[in-house]
Amino acid sequence: MIKEPIPVILDGDPGHDDAIAWVVANASKDLRILAITAVNGNCSAAKAAYNSQRIATLIGYNGPVSKGQDKPLYVEPLKAPTNVHGESGLDGPALPEPQKELETLTAVELMAEILQESKQKVVIVATGPLTNVAALLLTHPEVKEKISHISLMGGGIKYGNWTPAAEFNILVDPEAADVVYKSGIHIYMAGLDVTEKALVLQQDVEEIKKIGNPVSEIVWKWLDFFYRFHKSLGYPGAPMHDLCAVMVLIHPEIFTIKDMYVEVETTGDYSKGTTVGDYYHITGKEANCSCLMDVDRKKFIDYMIDYIRSYSEVQ
Ligand code: BDR
Ligand code: CA
């Protein structure tokens, strides 16, 4: 039986790991990208949209790209230090300039239109703050039934990275995350529990460097940039946070996944932006999330490299 590719909307704030997630999503025959939408996060929404266009050119994606929300639903944007992803939001190698204009529709309008017209249910892959997705659900609640689930990078059941308790994407817009987690749409949650195990090591960068196609030439330099930053913080490698949210759609068997009820702390002196997971099912509430807790790192990296290598055939 022929397996139909899963239709996906990629929403993010590229960002090195967003970019690599999209390189893989575009290479996978199991996914069909309906749109790319950019959101404020690692950088402004305008920079994220421009980066999205340049990534689209690099990977040969010709579908719609749209700019989304400039700031979180209610709070002011949180400025990420530029040493994570650089001043442009995607520093490192020179990228090809956009070959296609941005859509005139905003990200929310575009997502709504696509979902309304879609005959199949669509997966939203969200790898930045959840502002666009929450704004979509608030303004177009009727499209919920067209979303099969949301696969997101955000939060962490056990710890944070921006505060001891909160992860960056959720902390930037906790109210948006709250809307998404309470939406009734099932979530695949790639939190820090798994993403900090999905590490690219120096030898992996070297292997990608050897591939020598136009996409791998950019990817190894992105990884080099991201790796150096994380090494300076004491990480053993570069965490492929956002790629986990894509990889779980195409290779779920390499992850350890635990279902639980998760809610978002929107206030609190110490805990704002925390994803509070009911790990031991204490509340008795039905699970709204499938939480990725662990991954076979070797298989994850091997798959990533295979997808990058596959660009040799299409260039
Ligand atoms: C998240 O923050 C960003 O820097 C990454 O792209 C990822 O989405 C990790 O906390
Ligand atoms: Ca991101």
Side-chain angles (χ1 to χ4, degrees):
M1 206 171 85
I2 298 168
K3 207 169 123 202
E4 287 294 316
I6 304 167
V8 294
I9 294 174
L10 303 177
D11 180 78
D13 58 343
H16 296 78
D17 52 331
D18 303 75
I20 292 163
W22 296 356
V23 164
V24 168
N26 186 61
S28 168
K29 295 191 173 42
D30 295 326
L31 303 180
R32 182 163 56 89
I33 305 172
L34 303 181
I36 289 180
T37 54
V39 69
N40 163 76
N42 292 317
C43 55
S44 68
K47 283 184 183 175
Y50 175 56
N51 292 340
S52 302
Q53 287 177 286
R54 295 191 299 160
I55 297 164
T57 306
L58 173 74
I59 62 181
Y61 162 78
N62 294 315
V65 178
S66 170
K67 177 177 151 307
Q69 306 293 108
D70 289 307
K71 39 190 248 170
L73 290 186
Y74 306 116
V75 295
E76 284 307 307
L78 197 155
K79 188 148 173 33
T82 51
N83 52 354
V84 186
H85 297 275
E87 193 56 53
S88 68
L90 190 53
D91 274 11
L95 293 173
E97 286 304 313
Q99 275 180 359
K100 212 176 150 207
E101 299 281 309
L102 280 178
E103 293 295 302
T104 50
L105 295 180
T106 65
V108 169
E109 290 165 347
L110 178 66
M111 288 196 275
E113 189 178 281
I114 288 172
L115 291 166
Q116 280 154 359
E117 287 172 6
S118 178
K119 297 208 168 26
Q120 273 174 282
K121 288 200 175 196
V122 173
V123 176
I124 296 182
V125 182
T127 55
L130 290 163
T131 318
N132 286 348
V133 183
L136 170 74
L137 300 178
L138 291 171
T139 56
H140 298 80
E142 77 285 355
V143 301
K144 275 189 198 175
E145 61 184 44
K146 294 291 190 71
I147 302 171
S148 74
H149 56 274
I150 296 170
S151 186
L152 64 85
M153 189 285 138
I157 300 306
K158 298 195 173 148
Y159 54 93
N161 63 357
W162 226 255
T163 71
E167 180 279 331
F168 178 78
N169 287 343
I170 305 294
L171 183 65
V172 169
D173 198 345
E175 285 81 9
D178 190 40
V179 168
V180 171
Y181 277 74
K182 286 194 178 129
S183 66
I185 302 167
H186 195 75
I187 294 170
Y188 276 77
M189 175 176 157
L192 298 168
D193 315 276
V194 70
T195 67
E196 294 203 335
K197 293 174 185 144
L199 290 172
V200 165
L201 307 178
Q202 182 63 47
Q203 70 252 28
D204 306 320
V205 180
E206 295 306 322
E207 192 164 340
I208 295 165
K209 200 170 171 178
K210 281 191 233 146
I211 296 175
N213 70 38
V215 174
S216 67
E217 280 302 299
I218 300 286
V219 172
W220 82 255
K221 290 173 190 159
W222 280 338
L223 285 169
D224 190 54
F225 182 97
F226 213 44
Y227 179 84
R228 282 170 201 271
F229 168 72
H230 284 89
K231 272 302 242 192
S232 74
L233 295 183
Y235 281 74
M240 291 294 98
H241 300 291
D242 295 340
L243 179 54
C244 292
V246 165
M247 199 66 94
V248 71
L249 300 177
I250 45 188
H251 296 293
E253 72 287 350
I254 67 172
F255 292 92
T256 306
I257 301 177
K258 185 169 164 67
D259 285 356
M260 69 185 92
Y261 182 73
V262 180
E263 53 198 328
V264 179
E265 185 67 271
T266 55
T267 58
D269 290 337
Y270 308 110
S271 54
K272 186 174 168 196
T274 302
T275 44
V276 181
D278 186 4
Y279 193 88
Y280 291 114
H281 307 294
I282 293 163
T283 64
K285 289 182 183 165
E286 196 184 329
N288 58 347
C289 283
S290 296
C291 298
L292 280 52
M293 303 302 294
D294 202 354
V295 64
D296 182 326
R297 190 202 82 85
K298 171 88 173 60
K299 288 189 179 149
F300 180 92
I301 297 296
D302 286 350
Y303 280 132
M304 179 184 88
I305 293 176
D306 282 350
Y307 286 114
I308 296 167
R309 188 174 283 119
S310 74
Y311 283 91
S312 308
E313 293 147 29
V314 293
Q315 298 296 319

